[in-house]
């Protein structure tokens, strides 16, 4: 016998006494206040955020008797801040899952263990006139709640990330009133809210109180419909008042406070519909977010006048010839998925948090946001309107946990749940449909398929026919206006692009999983999506790491993730998957994404003649007037610097430019490079004048350094050699080198009495596991045992010459129970001047059937004197780079401390590589050692061992070593995004292959580094 549904389990109930959804707006008595859009200056407004009294119980049934009454004693209860989530305040349990429901699936029923928070607030109310009503608005409560006023039940609502309003006029009295809100962690709505995020509960968005006139404006909806050639637009206005007492409405359209138009609107029985032609308005798009103000003015029966201002944008969103078009132009999405996230307050985010997000997105060339996976705070859409971001507005709906039951469509295809699904869609659309930034509605995320999505689609189209509807789970695009997929690999994505005839346009609603070190391979995605007209871009998963801030035993800030709170089952650090760290610091992944999606592409046309090709990839913006800073450098020497204004280059057009630089002068230098920086010439909303939109650099090929051998005049004494059974010691008045004849390794290298090398070099095939290695690591560790590679000793031979000594050591490298491996030949040459030259050849040995398709890396590690803590390199920088994430990092001369070479990922992992490096130097004061490379290699240098990095699970917990660990890579595999997305592409994989590394270490004068890097002294 099935138990009776409780109110918070009743799928037939979406709310009690909740007012109809409507667009968000505020009412003002005068234009002066209306133009501020400041809610604090609006009529009858009161913010109820702040300290409330709070009682936490383990289940609703455990609520004290009479808790809702005025007589219930609350003085001794604890305080809680509203808005907030009670788990972030120490109540209940922090829990993170990606897919799993934290309870048994038995819809619509939830566990008896249903944590419940009861909030209390004393509210002093002035006497209301007969014309006034009092409305309380909850902008976000997770997951369902009952409202009581002075002991009377005043309302009930669910859908956590949508507002709920209640008319409490008849429940209040003059003077003190008791507001009581009982919030349930779990409800039937929880089955619709299984998003990839922390399970957080409570009143997490603002609570507002409105004293309004009973006859006032209830809702208004503005559509802008294009005319021929998108020159003129028809402004269609409809709406309603609470009563039929208001007969006339005046509309005024303004642009930047200048009146554009004025008109009268008739109101019939409280309802109005009106159309007006607007000639040649400035149009809204993400690149040119032109906003108008539409003011509605009306007189109430009391004789008072109210003004309601709205920001609107003239823009259309259509599918024409199977393309998504804004104002008739095809657009391309370079987007991100965004959760509400703050490391200190969880899902409670401030205006400053949202503003910072929007500015950072714009600064990094992002033009679109998917509100994954629920409607955001309404202020976020205001910011997107103002700053210019396309928005896919997503319903508060995800049923991911049902995927594991074998019946993914369990409730999505169940007509008993239709009302719940449709309610979430309609309330979202009615709240947000006046925002020009919202160009697409999303029915939700990862919830299977079924009839309820058809019902949502039809309900949305009934109330807003102007926008597109998206749902990725609709595999045949039956109730989706676009065809969307997620994490589609490159090859099938290209097939989608080719299969375009008569097909709906495609977007990747999620790709490029930005977890830890990554995502890599974004350039190839951009190339494929730009190649095929059907493919109109995508959205990186995701914007921000969901770390929870705390301090460790040393007082350092660290961030916690799933499992750190004893939560089980959990998806661990899978919530640490953003382009920005929890404190909104950009990660290397965001820097790379900014470059990959650059709106200005520069190519060589004929660089020897100074010609470049500039492509404008904006969809609307002309490049005219953008500053181009041209810098010509040779290493750290500035040859020339100029700034020019770009000419008129229309969107999607390209031109050839001749750079105004003295190429003949540049040709006299070595490694002359032209650096181009495209910068904003004026302040913008999101950045100051001089903000770099993108950058590019080119090497003048005729100036490329061809390193030579320059035998130095010997100033060292002859070598003495001590050849023992276990050791080979080579010594002069400049150096001392100790080799183990048992292990075949250089145990130490001392120069002028100072030990520079403590151990090495030794071949390594291993790197600390990155998140994007998660599906390879088991084979790497437990099948191929790559962490356990060992060099087996072969032979040691040496030979003296007049100015140097050669030592040849042969070895075999393999690992546990493997037949494949490498024959290694180390050739050391040590000169009397103290140079150490290393030539290492590796010859692959392919035996047996079990050979790894991909190795983490092939490189050598050397343990260096830790006092040499300052690093200068000529390669890519200054941030980290890997072979599939290096476009954002230009080749140049950079300097950092060893500590600064570390990228502080929330979950420690391989980091800090610098690609395509020609040389590096380490320094202590004025003393410097040069590592000069025969080719261009990648390197890392850290003050810890790889094993220490892997043992650490949080920032600040990496055990330091007593030396610096330098790793020089013949090759390191790219990073990919295979924690959820594409694997490392074949071009960026290291296999079991022959390799050759050659480099030289020698002491140099600090001021001579660049010149010294142009030659070798040993060979």
């Amino acid at each position: 016998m099935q138990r009776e549904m409780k109110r918070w389990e009743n799928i037939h109930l979406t709310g009690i006494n909740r007012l109809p959804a409507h667009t968000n707006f505020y009412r003002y008595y005068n234009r002066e206040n209306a133009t501020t859009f400041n809610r604090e200056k609006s009529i009858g407004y009161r913010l109820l955020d702040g300290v409330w009294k709070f009682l936490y119980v383990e289940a609703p049934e455990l609520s004290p008797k009479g808790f809702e009454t005025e007589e219930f004693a609350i003085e001794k209860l604890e305080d809680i801040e509203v808005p907030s989530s009670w788990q972030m305040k120490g109540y209940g349990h922090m829990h993170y899952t990606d897919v799993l429901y934290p309870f048994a699936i038995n819809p619509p029923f939830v566990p008896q263990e249903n944590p419940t928070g009861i909030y209390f607030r004393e509210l002093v109310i002035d006497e209301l006139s007969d014309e006034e009503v009092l409305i309380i608005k909850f902008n976000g409560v997770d997951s369902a709640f009952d409202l009581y006023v002075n002991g009377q039940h005043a309302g009930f609502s669910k859908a956590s990330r949508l507002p709920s309003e209640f008319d409490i006029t008849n429940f209040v009295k003059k003077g003190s009133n008791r507001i009581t809100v009982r919030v349930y962690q779990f409800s039937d709505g929880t089955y619709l809210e299984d998003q990839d995020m922390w399970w957080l509960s409570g009143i997490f968005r603002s609570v507002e109180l409105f004293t309004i006139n009973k006859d006032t404006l209830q809702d208004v909806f503005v559509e802008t419909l294009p005319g021929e050639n998108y020159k003129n637009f028809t402004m269609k206005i409809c709406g309603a008042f609470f009563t039929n007492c208001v007969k006339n409405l005046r509309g005024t359209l303004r642009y930047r406070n200048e009146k554009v138009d004025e008109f009268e609107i008739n109101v019939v029985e409280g309802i109005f519909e009106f159309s007006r032609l607007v000639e040649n308005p400035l149009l809204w798009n993400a690149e040119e977010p032109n906003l108008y103000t539409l003011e509605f003015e009306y007189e109430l029966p009391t004789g008072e006048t109210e003004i309601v201002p709205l920001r609107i944008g003239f823009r259309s969103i259509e599918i024409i010839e199977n393309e998504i078009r804004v104002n008739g132009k095809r657009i391309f999405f370079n987007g991100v998925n965004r959760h509400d996230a703050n490391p200190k307050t969880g899902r409670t985010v401030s205006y400053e948090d949202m503003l910072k997000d929007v500015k950072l997105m714009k600064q990094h060339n992002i033009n679109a946001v998917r509100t994954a996976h629920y409607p955001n705070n309404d202020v976020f859409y205001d910011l997107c309107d103002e700053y210019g971001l396309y928005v896919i507005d997503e319903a508060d709906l995800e049923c991911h946990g049902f995927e594991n039951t074998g019946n993914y469509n369990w409730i999505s295809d169940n007509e008993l749940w239709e009302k719940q699904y449709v309610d979430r869609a309609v309330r979202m659309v009615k709240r947000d449909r006046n925002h020009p930034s919202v160009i697409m509605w999303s029915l939700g995320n990862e919830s299977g398929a079924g009839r309820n999505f058809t019902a949502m689609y039809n309900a949305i189209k009934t109330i807003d026919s102007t926008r597109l509807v998206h749902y990725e789970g609709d595999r045949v695009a039956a109730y989706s206006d676009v065809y969307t997929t997620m994490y589609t690999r490159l090859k099938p994505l290209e097939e989608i692009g080719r299969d375009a005839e008569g097909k709906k346009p495609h977007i990747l609603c999620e790709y490029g999983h930005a977890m830890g070190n990554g995502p890599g391979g974004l350039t190839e995605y951009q190339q494929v999506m730009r190649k095929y007209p059907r493919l109109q871009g995508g959205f990186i998963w995701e914007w921000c790491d969901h770390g929870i801030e705390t301090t460790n035993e040393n007082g350092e800030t660290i961030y916690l993730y799933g499992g750190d709170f004893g939560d089980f089952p959990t998806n661990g650090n899978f919530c640490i998957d953003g382009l920005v760290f929890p404190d909104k610091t950009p990660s290397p992944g965001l820097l790379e994404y900014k470059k990959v999606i650059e709106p200005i592409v520069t190519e060589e046309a004929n660089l020897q003649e100074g010609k470049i090709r500039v492509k404008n990839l904006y969809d609307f913006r002309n490049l005219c007037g953008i500053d181009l800073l041209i810098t010509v450098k040779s290493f750290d020497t500035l040859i020339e610097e100029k700034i020019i204004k770009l000419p008129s280059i229309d969107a999607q057009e390209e031109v050839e430019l001749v750079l105004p630089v003295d190429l003949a002068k540049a040709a006299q230098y070595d490694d002359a490079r032209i650096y181009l920086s495209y910068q904003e010439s004026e302040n913008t909303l999101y950045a100051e004048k001089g903000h770099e939109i993108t950058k590019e650099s080119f090497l003048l090929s005729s100036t490329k350094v061809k390193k030579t051998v320059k035998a130095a005049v010997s100033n060292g004494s002859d070598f003495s050699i001590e050849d023992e059974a276990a050791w080979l010691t080579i010594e002069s008045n400049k150096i001392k080198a100790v080799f183990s004849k048992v292990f075949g390794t250089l145990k130490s290298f001392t120069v002028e009495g100072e030990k520079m090398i403590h151990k090495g070099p030794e071949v390594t095939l291993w790197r600390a596991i990155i998140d994007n290695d998660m599906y390879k690591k088991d084979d790497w560790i437990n099948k191929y045992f790559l962490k356990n590679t060992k060099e087996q000793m072969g032979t040691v031979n040496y030979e003296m010459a007049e100015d140097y000594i050669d030592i040849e050591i042969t070895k075999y490298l393999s690992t546990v129970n493997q037949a494949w491996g490498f024959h290694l030949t180390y050739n050391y040459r040590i000169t009397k001047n103290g140079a150490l030259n290393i030539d290492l050849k590796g010859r692959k040995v392919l035996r047996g059937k079990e050979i790894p398709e991909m190795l983490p890396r092939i490189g050598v590690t050397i343990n260096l004197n830790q006092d040499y803590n300052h690093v200068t390199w000529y390669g890519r920088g200054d941030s980290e780079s890997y072979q599939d994430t290096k476009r954002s990092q230009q080749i140049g001369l950079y300097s950092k401390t060893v500590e600064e070479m570390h990228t502080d990922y929330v979950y420690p992992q391989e980091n800090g590589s610098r690609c395509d490096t020609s040389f590096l130097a380490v320094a202590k004061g004025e003393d410097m050692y040069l590592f000069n490379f025969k080719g261009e290699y990648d390197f890392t240098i850290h003050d810890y061992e790889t094993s220490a990095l892997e043992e650490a699970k949080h920032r600040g917990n990496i055990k330091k070593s007593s030396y610096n660990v330098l790793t020089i890579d013949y090759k390191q595999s790219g990073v990919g995004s295979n924690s959820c997305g594409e694997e490392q592409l074949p071009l960026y994989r290291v296999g079991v292959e022959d390799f050759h590394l050659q480099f030289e270490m020698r002491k140099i004068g600090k001021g001579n580094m660049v010149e010294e890097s142009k030659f070798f002294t040993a060979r």
Side-chain angles (χ1 to χ4, degrees), residues 349-361:
V349 293
S350 66
Y351 173 82
E352 290 73 23
D353 289 331
M354 293 181 280
L355 179 60
K356 188 170 187 177
D357 283 352
V358 168
K359 284 186 173 182
L360 275 172
M361 289 175 190

Side-chain angles (χ1 to χ4, degrees), residues 63-72 118 120 147-153 178-182:
S63 303
K65 185 177 181 180
F67 73 90
E68 74 280 10
T69 65
E70 292 180 86
E71 293 76 25
F72 185 73
I118 309 176
F120 306 88
L147 169 67
Y148 301 88
V149 180
N150 295 330
Q152 302 176 76
H153 188 250
R178 172 72 60 82
I179 304 293
T180 305
V181 185
R182 186 165 72 166

Side-chain angles (χ1 to χ4, degrees), residues 984-996:
Q984 292 89 343
L985 298 171
L987 179 64
Y988 308 120
R989 297 185 187 186
V990 180
V992 180
E993 57 191 87
D994 295 344
F995 66 91
H996 187 192

Side-chain angles (χ1 to χ4, degrees), residues 819-890:
W820 61 272
F822 295 90
H823 286 306
L824 305 178
T825 303
Y826 286 92
N827 281 297
Y828 296 90
R829 176 168 289 182
I830 303 172
T831 72
K832 288 182 179 179
N833 294 302
L836 173 65
N837 189 289
I838 300 169
D839 186 298
L840 169 62
K841 293 185 178 71
R843 181 166 54 85
K844 66 185 177 185
V845 177
L846 301 179
R847 297 179 299 207
K849 296 181 179 179
E850 294 293 341
I851 298 171
E853 294 181 2
M854 174 182 167
L855 301 174
R857 71 175 356 136
I858 298 175
V860 294
T861 60
I862 306 171
N863 295 345
L864 298 178
N865 187 322
Q866 198 167 56
D867 292 337
Y868 285 78
N869 195 46
H870 195 273
V871 187
T872 303
W873 73 100
Y874 186 63
R876 293 192 182 270
D878 65 352
S879 183
E880 73 178 22
S881 57
Y882 291 79
Q883 287 300 325
D884 58 351
T885 62
K886 68 181 184 180
R887 283 190 60 198
S888 60
Q889 303 305 308
Q890 295 180 325

Side-chain angles (χ1 to χ4, degrees), residues 548-560:
I548 304 300
E549 184 174 316
T550 187
T551 54
N552 63 14
E553 60 276 10
N554 299 319
E556 300 165 307
T557 297
I558 64 170
Y559 298 99
L560 305 181

Side-chain angles (χ1 to χ4, degrees), residues 622-863:
N622 191 298
L623 300 185
C624 184
I626 287 176
D627 287 336
L628 174 56
L629 175 64
I630 307 163
T631 306
V632 186
K633 293 178 74 175
S634 169
F635 299 100
D636 55 349
T637 299
L638 178 64
I639 302 171
E640 188 176 6
E641 188 168 82
K642 288 189 176 179
I643 190 165
I644 64 171
K645 298 279 187 187
L646 289 185
S648 176
I649 308 174
D650 279 337
Q652 300 298 310
E653 298 293 330
E654 62 181 65
V655 300
E656 280 193 7
L657 296 179
V658 178
L659 298 173
V661 295
D662 189 340
L663 294 175
K665 181 181 178 182
Q668 299 172 21
Y669 291 81
D670 289 325
D671 256 44
R673 293 181 180 271
I674 300 175
Y675 298 91
L676 305 175
S677 174
Y678 295 90
Q679 301 177 355
E680 296 287 1
S681 58
E682 303 292 340
N683 290 339
T684 69
L685 276 176
Y686 55 86
E688 294 181 355
K689 176 183 178 180
H691 165 73
E692 186 173 78
I693 301 168
T694 190
K695 60 188 177 182
E696 192 54 86
S697 65
F698 301 102
L699 171 69
L700 290 174
S701 57
S702 62
T703 69
K704 183 173 176 62
V705 169
K706 296 178 176 62
K707 296 183 181 181
T708 60
V709 178
K710 178 181 173 183
V713 176
S714 176
N715 60 3
S717 66
D718 290 340
F719 293 111
S720 65
I721 300 174
E722 189 174 347
D723 190 352
E724 302 175 301
W727 303 100
L728 176 65
T729 303
I730 299 164
E731 194 166 2
S732 73
N733 65 341
K734 300 250 332 165
I735 65 96
K736 180 180 181 180
V738 179
F739 291 88
S740 168
K741 293 174 66 177
V742 177
F743 298 101
T745 55
L746 175 61
K747 299 299 291 184
S748 66
F749 190 75
T750 302
V751 182
E752 297 176 356
E754 186 173 40
K755 186 184 286 188
M756 272 306 298
I757 294 179
H758 291 257
K759 182 183 177 184
E762 285 186 312
V763 171
T764 179
L765 306 181
W766 188 249
R767 69 181 180 198
I769 288 292
I770 63 173
D771 289 314
N772 290 318
D773 293 333
M774 66 169 58
Y775 297 111
K776 298 178 181 66
K777 68 178 182 181
D778 189 59
D779 278 357
W780 283 355
I781 295 171
N782 299 314
K783 181 178 180 180
Y784 300 113
F785 303 102
L786 298 182
K787 288 181 73 171
N788 305 97
T789 53
K790 299 288 185 184
E791 294 183 346
Q792 297 177 5
M793 181 58 190
T795 61
V796 178
N797 294 292
Y798 59 89
E799 185 177 344
M800 287 283 294
E802 184 176 349
D803 291 317
Y804 59 84
I805 184 170
D806 284 341
I807 303 96
E808 181 189 81
I809 301 175
T810 63
K811 294 183 176 183
Y812 177 71
L813 176 79
S814 191
T815 187
V816 175
N817 204 54
Q818 305 297 301
W820 61 272
F822 295 90
H823 286 306
L824 305 178
T825 303
Y826 286 92
N827 281 297
Y828 296 90
R829 176 168 289 182
I830 303 172
T831 72
K832 288 182 179 179
N833 294 302
L836 173 65
N837 189 289
I838 300 169
D839 186 298
L840 169 62
K841 293 185 178 71
R843 181 166 54 85
K844 66 185 177 185
V845 177
L846 301 179
R847 297 179 299 207
K849 296 181 179 179
E850 294 293 341
I851 298 171
E853 294 181 2
M854 174 182 167
L855 301 174
R857 71 175 356 136
I858 298 175
V860 294
T861 60
I862 306 171
N863 295 345

